[in-house]
Amino acid sequence: MIRENILRHGLSAAAVVGAMLFIALLLAAAVEDLLQSKITTSVRANAQAHAFNWTDRFLSTTPSATSMIAEGAASEEDIRRISDPILLGGILHLQLFNKDGVPTFVTGNSDFDPSRAQTESALKVLEHKTPIVELFHMDHADHEELEELPEIANLDAHDAHDAHEAHGDHDGHESEEIPHAFAQAFLPAYSPSGELQGVIQVNVDVSHLMESLEMTFHQVGQYLIFGTLLIVLVPVAAFSFRAWQVMRANRQQLELNRFDRLTGILNRNAITDVLDSHFGPGKDPAGLGILFIDVDNFKQVNDRFGHQCGDQVLKHTAAALKANLPGDGHVVGRYGGDEFLVLCPQASMDDLRAVYSQMRASVRQPIDCHGTAFVTSLSIGAYVAQSEDTKRCALHAADLAVYEAKRRGRDQAVEYEPELGEKATHFSCPDERADGKTSLAPAPGAPA
């Protein structure tokens, strides 16, 4: 009887231990799938954000973007720029489809014939007007996936040999190295007027992010296999927090690259990029309205009420300026400490006058800071660019006007006139020459 009880309890204990181990293994496998799913979701979201950011920059800074999408026509300069690895910034491959889903342009091999899957993806984007993002991890890609990848010719020598060998290709072709993981994004391309022009397909390098997340995952996985149920749950929470930290850092970096952290509007680099897109070879800046805006007595606000109130003034001003932008294509950015820049394409001086009048009225709404209400005001310089203007000359004209507004006592707007250039000859505008250097030239409208 005792022997039977020992045997029975031993079998029960073994069954319990076995069940616990089995449950632990099942939970570990489930957690592994969950973590891999989180990795994939995080990487795909990051790749989509990067692709949208790059596509917006491509459309706004590439003069021949519209013709490239419609019919594949591009200037040599634009082709050189979008093929520059530094300017690509993590983009491995670019392909354009017109509004009928027909491929018009591709970087690299100009004879490349896109796969049926790529064409179908482009057509789906055109139909539903939503992006499609697919993640390719070369360590796990099967033979069928490799056949569909346009980048198969860009694998490193070892991987290319293995991939071609799996398909019966032994020509010994060697080409450039590609990352082991990348995302293929199909994004709708819109014109400044909001019309759907076609589809932009880019391949985004996600190797670094993938490796960072996978490294954390594998470290956690070693504990999951041998841990108890409680120990299994702890690394899941730790990994989720780590993944959240990584993604938050990436989102913050994207925001820092484009938006001002305090006010939420475009920062100096971003507003300068928009300004650059209106000038240069093949661009006619005529009709670009420029408002150079300075917050009056901002230093006194900081000195009297403190920097917290100063920050509140900047946020209030930025919100007022943004709320009174006429529509799409009109942008506002923080150009300096208390300086703002507003760009209004295809505007006349009458249009600018209406815009800055609304902005001045809106910004004069009282601000409450520590129980004290006060009103701020703006000095504004207005200028409408001419065809012969360079970027520096156009900014210079608006700067002369805002300088005159402050000289006259602030809290007003001054529209640029040639007489301002004559009064301030020491502000002569640097004229950009073909050799990239500058020479002093008269201010816009001033006699030569």
Side-chain angles (χ1 to χ4, degrees), residues 289-309:
I290 302 175
L291 296 178
F292 212 126
I293 301 172
D294 190 273
V295 179
D296 292 334
N297 303 311
F298 183 70
K299 183 178 184 302
Q300 287 82 346
V301 171
N302 274 335
D303 293 342
R304 180 178 178 183
F305 299 102
H307 289 282
Q308 184 177 356
C309 288

Side-chain angles (χ1 to χ4, degrees), residues 40 43-44 46-48 90-94 118 133-139 141 145-146 148-155 177-186 201-211 214:
T40 301
V43 172
R44 183 182 287 113
N46 179 269
Q48 180 170 315
I91 299 300
L92 305 172
H93 174 81
L94 168 67
Q118 288 179 296
V133 180
E134 294 293 335
L135 189 62
F136 294 95
H137 194 182
M138 300 306 294
D139 290 345
E145 287 175 331
L146 285 174
E148 294 177 358
L149 294 180
E151 290 74 19
I152 186 67
N154 293 327
L155 293 172
E177 181 178 348
I178 86 165
H180 76 274
F182 61 91
Q184 192 173 78
F186 294 82
Q201 182 241 312
V202 293
N203 291 355
V204 182
D205 180 6
V206 295
S207 296
H208 180 71
L209 180 60
M210 179 74 78
E211 289 172 357
E214 285 180 337

